[in-house]
Amino acid sequence: MEYVSTRNKELRVSAAEAIAMGIAPDGGLFCPTAFPRLTHAEFAALMGMDYKQRAAMILGKFLTDFTAEELKSFTEQAYADEKFGGRDTVPIVSLADDVHMLELWHGPTCAFKDMALQMLPHLLTASLQKTGERRTCCILVATSGDTGKAALEGFADVPKTKIMVYYPVDGVSPMQKLQMVTQQGENVEVVAIRGNFDDAQSAVKRIFTDQETAKRLDAHGLMFSSANSINWGRLAPQIAYYVSAYCDLLGAGKIAHGQTVNVCVPTGNFGNILAAYIAKQMGVPLGKLICASNENHVLTDFFAQDGVYDRNRSFHTTDSPSMDILISSNLERLLFFLSGQDDALVRQQMDALAQDGRYDVSGALGARLRADFAAGWCDDAQTARTIRRVFEEQKYLCDPHTAVAMHVMEAYRAETGDSAPVIVASTASPFKFCKPVAAALGHPIETDGTEQLAALEAVSGCKAPAPLAALGAKTPRFDRVVDKADILSTLDLIL
C-alpha cells in the first residue's frame, strides 16, 4: 500500500513515511492509493476477535510495511484493559432496537480521540525507526478541546518526541482546559491562543510548510510531525471502531448479516465521519453517513448545496466546542477520493479556500456527495432539549456533541422516513461538559473546577469517570497565552 498527496499524486510514500511526515511538503494530506476490501473469510474472522485483534487486522490492511506482530503489540498496549476500563473497549448501548450508541470515550481522557491517540505514539515511533529518522520528532497539535489532551496523554515522556499543543483560550470547556494545563511530562508544552480553533489549525499548517522554520529545527536535530487527523496515523485507527461496531451488533443479534446500518457522527474537522466512509469502502454494510454539526454548520451547508464550501461566515462559540470549526481539514481527503484522485482539482479548490475562503465542486461531485452523505445541524437550545429528553426518556446521559448527533439523526429520520438501524457516535463523557449538561437537566452548576463533577453526579445519578475525578489533585503547569500572530515564537519553548 502506497500513499500519495491529495495535491500531488506523483508524490508516493510508504505508510511509515506518511505517518512520520504527518503532512505532505506541498500542504496536501496523505491518502492510500486504494481501499482494501474485506473478504467474507476476513469478516467471519473479525466476528471472533476482541477489539484489540480487530484493530490490528484493519490497520494491517493499510499499514503494509508494519508486521502483524508489530500491530498486535501496538493494539494490546494502546487499548490495554486498564486504560479503557475493561476488555469492552468500545461498548455499544442500545437505546432502542434500532438506535445504538457507540461509546468512544472510555479511554484515559474520556473522549473519542483516545481511540487514535493511544495508538499514534506506537505508530509514529516505529515509523521513525523504519524510515531511519534520527532527529527528535516535534509534534504540533491544534485542538478544539479533546485532541490536545489525548495527544498530550499519548505522547507524554515518549522518547525522541516533543509535543506542543495550542488551544483557543475561550474555546474549550473548563474541564478540557484543566485536563491540558495539568498535564505531566518533561516533553510537553501547552499554549493558549487569543483566537479560535481555525486560527490555531491554520497557523500550525503554515508552520509545517515553512521552509525556514524547518531548517531551524533541523539545525537543532528536530523535525515536525502532527497528531491532528491530518496525519494518516491518527485517522487510520478510527476506521477500526466502525468495523468493530458492525461486528458487535451482528454478534448480539441486533442486525442481520448484510443488513445496512446508517451512521451519525458529530464532527467538525470531518475525520471521524471520514473514517466511517472508509469502512464503508472496505465493504462494511454502512448506509447513509449523517454528518451532524452545531451552529458552525459549514459542513451541513456544504452537503445541502452539493459541494459549495464557504467559511466566510460568523464563528460561534457553543456548548459543543470540539465542533466549533469552520475549516474542516479532512474534507480535502473526501474530495480526493470522490474525484477519482484528481489532485489538480483538489489543489485548485484548496488554493481557492486559502485565497477566497470558499470553493465550489457542486457540478463535478454533487451527486456523489448525496449518494453517501446526509447532514444537519442544531443550536445550543436544541442540544439542551435533546440532552434532557434523552435522559428523561431513555435514562441515557449525553454530552453536548452526542446530543447534536441525536437531534440530527432524529430529524433525518423524520424527514426521509429512513428507518434503517443507526449507530450514533458518542464522542465524549458528559462529565467533560458538566455545566451545559446540568443546565439542560434543569439544575445549573455555579461551581468551577472538579467540584462540577460531584454536582453533575448528584443531578444525574451517574458516576464521573475516574480520570476526570483525579484532576482535583493536580496542579496547573501551563498558563501562557499568546496572540494568534505570535504562535511561531512559541517554538522557542521546545528548542
Side-chain angles (χ1 to χ4, degrees), residues 36 42 56 171 200 214 298 327-328 363 370 387 397 400 441 459 485 494:
E42 288 171 331
V298 64
I327 304 175
S328 303
R370 289 194 302 274
I387 290 172
L397 192 62
L441 299 181
V459 167
I494 56 176

PDB file of all heavy atoms in Angstrom, residues 36 42 56 171 200 214 298 327-328 363 370 387 397 400 441 459 485 494:
ATOM      1  N   PRO A  36      -8.569  -1.188   0.598  1.00  0.00           N
ATOM      2  CA  PRO A  36      -8.587  -2.652   0.685  1.00  0.00           C
ATOM      3  C   PRO A  36      -9.988  -3.141   1.023  1.00  0.00           C
ATOM      4  O   PRO A  36     -10.695  -2.537   1.833  1.00  0.00           O
ATOM      5  CB  PRO A  36      -7.607  -2.936   1.828  1.00  0.00           C
ATOM      6  CG  PRO A  36      -7.628  -1.700   2.666  1.00  0.00           C
ATOM      7  CD  PRO A  36      -7.847  -0.563   1.724  1.00  0.00           C
ATOM      8  N   GLU A  42     -12.391 -12.914   5.920  1.00  0.00           N
ATOM      9  CA  GLU A  42     -11.851 -11.946   6.881  1.00  0.00           C
ATOM     10  C   GLU A  42     -12.947 -11.402   7.785  1.00  0.00           C
ATOM     11  O   GLU A  42     -12.742 -11.224   8.992  1.00  0.00           O
ATOM     12  CB  GLU A  42     -11.162 -10.807   6.133  1.00  0.00           C
ATOM     13  CG  GLU A  42      -9.836 -11.217   5.495  1.00  0.00           C
ATOM     14  CD  GLU A  42      -9.270 -10.151   4.587  1.00  0.00           C
ATOM     15  OE1 GLU A  42     -10.067  -9.372   4.007  1.00  0.00           O
ATOM     16  OE2 GLU A  42      -8.037 -10.097   4.434  1.00  0.00           O
ATOM     17  N   ALA A  56      -5.917  -4.417  15.022  1.00  0.00           N
ATOM     18  CA  ALA A  56      -4.663  -4.834  14.404  1.00  0.00           C
ATOM     19  C   ALA A  56      -4.894  -5.335  12.979  1.00  0.00           C
ATOM     20  O   ALA A  56      -4.112  -5.028  12.065  1.00  0.00           O
ATOM     21  CB  ALA A  56      -3.994  -5.924  15.246  1.00  0.00           C
ATOM     22  N   GLY A 171     -12.251  28.867  24.011  1.00  0.00           N
ATOM     23  CA  GLY A 171     -12.999  27.969  23.137  1.00  0.00           C
ATOM     24  C   GLY A 171     -13.011  26.522  23.562  1.00  0.00           C
ATOM     25  O   GLY A 171     -13.305  25.641  22.743  1.00  0.00           O
ATOM     26  N   ALA A 200      -5.717  28.523  15.171  1.00  0.00           N
ATOM     27  CA  ALA A 200      -4.640  27.636  15.613  1.00  0.00           C
ATOM     28  C   ALA A 200      -4.291  26.617  14.537  1.00  0.00           C
ATOM     29  O   ALA A 200      -3.114  26.379  14.243  1.00  0.00           O
ATOM     30  CB  ALA A 200      -5.040  26.925  16.905  1.00  0.00           C
ATOM     31  N   ALA A 214      11.595  24.896   9.192  1.00  0.00           N
ATOM     32  CA  ALA A 214      12.073  23.513   9.106  1.00  0.00           C
ATOM     33  C   ALA A 214      13.594  23.448   9.195  1.00  0.00           C
ATOM     34  O   ALA A 214      14.159  22.571   9.867  1.00  0.00           O
ATOM     35  CB  ALA A 214      11.586  22.875   7.807  1.00  0.00           C
ATOM     36  N   VAL A 298     -20.874  24.810   8.668  1.00  0.00           N
ATOM     37  CA  VAL A 298     -20.294  24.903   7.335  1.00  0.00           C
ATOM     38  C   VAL A 298     -20.379  23.563   6.602  1.00  0.00           C
ATOM     39  O   VAL A 298     -20.593  23.522   5.381  1.00  0.00           O
ATOM     40  CB  VAL A 298     -18.840  25.427   7.423  1.00  0.00           C
ATOM     41  CG1 VAL A 298     -17.943  24.459   8.178  1.00  0.00           C
ATOM     42  CG2 VAL A 298     -18.277  25.721   6.042  1.00  0.00           C
ATOM     43  N   ILE A 327     -13.010  25.381   9.230  1.00  0.00           N
ATOM     44  CA  ILE A 327     -12.139  24.817   8.193  1.00  0.00           C
ATOM     45  C   ILE A 327     -11.962  23.335   8.498  1.00  0.00           C
ATOM     46  O   ILE A 327     -11.207  22.954   9.389  1.00  0.00           O
ATOM     47  CB  ILE A 327     -10.776  25.527   8.158  1.00  0.00           C
ATOM     48  CG1 ILE A 327     -10.955  27.028   7.954  1.00  0.00           C
ATOM     49  CG2 ILE A 327      -9.910  24.948   7.034  1.00  0.00           C
ATOM     50  CD1 ILE A 327      -9.660  27.820   8.024  1.00  0.00           C
ATOM     51  N   SER A 328     -12.671  22.498   7.761  1.00  0.00           N
ATOM     52  CA  SER A 328     -12.703  21.062   8.024  1.00  0.00           C
ATOM     53  C   SER A 328     -11.633  20.368   7.187  1.00  0.00           C
ATOM     54  O   SER A 328     -11.854  20.028   6.023  1.00  0.00           O
ATOM     55  CB  SER A 328     -14.090  20.499   7.698  1.00  0.00           C
ATOM     56  OG  SER A 328     -15.083  21.181   8.446  1.00  0.00           O
ATOM     57  N   GLY A 363     -20.760  20.969  -9.385  1.00  0.00           N
ATOM     58  CA  GLY A 363     -21.040  20.329 -10.663  1.00  0.00           C
ATOM     59  C   GLY A 363     -20.447  18.942 -10.779  1.00  0.00           C
ATOM     60  O   GLY A 363     -21.113  17.996 -11.202  1.00  0.00           O
ATOM     61  N   ARG A 370     -24.205  13.281  -2.373  1.00  0.00           N
ATOM     62  CA  ARG A 370     -25.561  12.902  -1.927  1.00  0.00           C
ATOM     63  C   ARG A 370     -25.707  11.397  -1.788  1.00  0.00           C
ATOM     64  O   ARG A 370     -26.506  10.917  -0.987  1.00  0.00           O
ATOM     65  CB  ARG A 370     -26.606  13.430  -2.910  1.00  0.00           C
ATOM     66  CG  ARG A 370     -26.782  14.934  -2.885  1.00  0.00           C
ATOM     67  CD  ARG A 370     -28.054  15.339  -3.633  1.00  0.00           C
ATOM     68  NE  ARG A 370     -28.059  14.888  -5.017  1.00  0.00           N
ATOM     69  CZ  ARG A 370     -27.514  15.553  -6.036  1.00  0.00           C
ATOM     70  NH1 ARG A 370     -26.903  16.708  -5.794  1.00  0.00           N
ATOM     71  NH2 ARG A 370     -27.579  15.084  -7.266  1.00  0.00           N
ATOM     72  N   ILE A 387     -30.541  16.693  25.248  1.00  0.00           N
ATOM     73  CA  ILE A 387     -29.907  16.099  26.435  1.00  0.00           C
ATOM     74  C   ILE A 387     -30.981  15.726  27.462  1.00  0.00           C
ATOM     75  O   ILE A 387     -30.990  14.614  28.003  1.00  0.00           O
ATOM     76  CB  ILE A 387     -28.892  17.069  27.060  1.00  0.00           C
ATOM     77  CG1 ILE A 387     -27.670  17.220  26.141  1.00  0.00           C
ATOM     78  CG2 ILE A 387     -28.436  16.584  28.440  1.00  0.00           C
ATOM     79  CD1 ILE A 387     -26.705  18.309  26.573  1.00  0.00           C
ATOM     80  N   LEU A 397     -27.382   9.599  29.589  1.00  0.00           N
ATOM     81  CA  LEU A 397     -26.832  10.936  29.724  1.00  0.00           C
ATOM     82  C   LEU A 397     -25.860  11.220  28.585  1.00  0.00           C
ATOM     83  O   LEU A 397     -24.825  10.565  28.464  1.00  0.00           O
ATOM     84  CB  LEU A 397     -26.124  11.082  31.075  1.00  0.00           C
ATOM     85  CG  LEU A 397     -25.737  12.500  31.491  1.00  0.00           C
ATOM     86  CD1 LEU A 397     -26.972  13.380  31.651  1.00  0.00           C
ATOM     87  CD2 LEU A 397     -24.928  12.474  32.790  1.00  0.00           C
ATOM     88  N   PRO A 400     -22.884  17.267  25.073  1.00  0.00           N
ATOM     89  CA  PRO A 400     -23.481  18.107  24.032  1.00  0.00           C
ATOM     90  C   PRO A 400     -23.190  17.648  22.602  1.00  0.00           C
ATOM     91  O   PRO A 400     -24.058  17.781  21.727  1.00  0.00           O
ATOM     92  CB  PRO A 400     -22.878  19.488  24.308  1.00  0.00           C
ATOM     93  CG  PRO A 400     -22.586  19.481  25.769  1.00  0.00           C
ATOM     94  CD  PRO A 400     -22.129  18.077  26.058  1.00  0.00           C
ATOM     95  N   LEU A 441     -30.488  19.674  32.189  1.00  0.00           N
ATOM     96  CA  LEU A 441     -31.334  18.856  33.066  1.00  0.00           C
ATOM     97  C   LEU A 441     -32.129  19.715  34.045  1.00  0.00           C
ATOM     98  O   LEU A 441     -32.902  19.181  34.851  1.00  0.00           O
ATOM     99  CB  LEU A 441     -30.478  17.852  33.835  1.00  0.00           C
ATOM    100  CG  LEU A 441     -29.697  16.836  32.991  1.00  0.00           C
ATOM    101  CD1 LEU A 441     -28.912  15.891  33.890  1.00  0.00           C
ATOM    102  CD2 LEU A 441     -30.615  16.057  32.067  1.00  0.00           C
ATOM    103  N   VAL A 459     -27.017  15.411  40.325  1.00  0.00           N
ATOM    104  CA  VAL A 459     -28.157  15.719  39.464  1.00  0.00           C
ATOM    105  C   VAL A 459     -28.585  14.513  38.640  1.00  0.00           C
ATOM    106  O   VAL A 459     -29.780  14.246  38.463  1.00  0.00           O
ATOM    107  CB  VAL A 459     -27.812  16.904  38.535  1.00  0.00           C
ATOM    108  CG1 VAL A 459     -28.835  17.046  37.421  1.00  0.00           C
ATOM    109  CG2 VAL A 459     -27.705  18.190  39.328  1.00  0.00           C
ATOM    110  N   ALA A 485      -1.031  35.639  16.000  1.00  0.00           N
ATOM    111  CA  ALA A 485       0.072  36.018  15.111  1.00  0.00           C
ATOM    112  C   ALA A 485       1.436  35.673  15.686  1.00  0.00           C
ATOM    113  O   ALA A 485       2.437  35.685  14.966  1.00  0.00           O
ATOM    114  CB  ALA A 485      -0.002  37.515  14.830  1.00  0.00           C
ATOM    115  N   ILE A 494      10.414  24.656  22.718  1.00  0.00           N
ATOM    116  CA  ILE A 494      10.817  23.259  22.508  1.00  0.00           C
ATOM    117  C   ILE A 494      12.188  23.129  21.873  1.00  0.00           C
ATOM    118  O   ILE A 494      12.645  22.012  21.595  1.00  0.00           O
ATOM    119  CB  ILE A 494       9.771  22.483  21.680  1.00  0.00           C
ATOM    120  CG1 ILE A 494       9.508  23.171  20.327  1.00  0.00           C
ATOM    121  CG2 ILE A 494       8.499  22.303  22.459  1.00  0.00           C
ATOM    122  CD1 ILE A 494       8.576  22.404  19.432  1.00  0.00           C
TER     123      ILE A 494
END
